Amino acid sequence: QVQLVESGGGSVQAGGSLRLSCAASTNFYCMGWFRQAPGKEREGVATINSYGSTTTADSVKGRFTISQDNAKNTLYLQMNSLKPEDTAMYYCAARLGSGSCNARTYFPYWGQGTQVTVSS
């Protein structure tokens, strides 16, 4: 059974850092982080494929870094210089098949989410 379990969320002051983790039940070709704030549409944050090729949203570029540990089937999102507008529920998503890997890709598997709250 495919499972994605996020962890690492929490409350932090502006300028602080958090690292999110997503433990996967298997190796996926394409994985990504998405976020959704109350009253807003879901936003793609970053993606990475099994070759290590990444994409990052302009809104977090230079502050957030996506990475993976294939030996541990774990996806990470290092978030630095956090801003109040980064407050959202963060979700891990994954796809098994090859092809394009970006925020517009269809992801059939999703985690339950982890809350990130940044106070000013």
Side-chain angles (χ1 to χ4, degrees):
Q1 183 176 355
V2 173
Q3 279 192 315
L4 300 171
V5 180
E6 301 100 332
S7 61
S11 297
V12 65
Q13 289 199 327
S17 297
L18 284 173
R19 188 175 83 154
L20 305 184
S21 298
C22 173
S25 56
T26 187
N27 261 315
F28 291 93
Y29 168 73
C30 176
M31 298 189 74
W33 288 100
F34 293 77
R35 66 185 183 185
Q36 188 165 21
K40 294 189 176 182
E41 290 189 356
R42 188 175 65 199
E43 175 189 17
V45 177
T47 63
I48 188 168
N49 67 17
S50 59
Y51 300 105
S53 180
T54 64
T55 68
T56 307
D58 288 342
S59 58
V60 304
K61 201 164 288 185
R63 300 187 298 122
F64 291 10
T65 303
I66 189 171
S67 63
Q68 61 191 356
D69 184 333
N70 290 329
K72 296 181 179 179
N73 290 347
T74 301
L75 179 73
Y76 301 101
L77 185 68
Q78 179 66 45
M79 304 186 296
N80 299 328
S81 302
L82 282 161
K83 304 176 180 179
E85 51 263 43
D86 295 318
T87 295
M89 185 71 80
Y90 282 72
Y91 298 91
C92 170
R95 191 184 84 237
L96 288 168
S98 59
S100 297
C101 182
N102 56 59
R104 296 179 298 278
T105 300
Y106 170 66
F107 289 89
Y109 304 109
W110 292 81
Q112 82 289 349
T114 185
Q115 178 68 38
V116 171
T117 302
V118 184
S119 58
S120 57

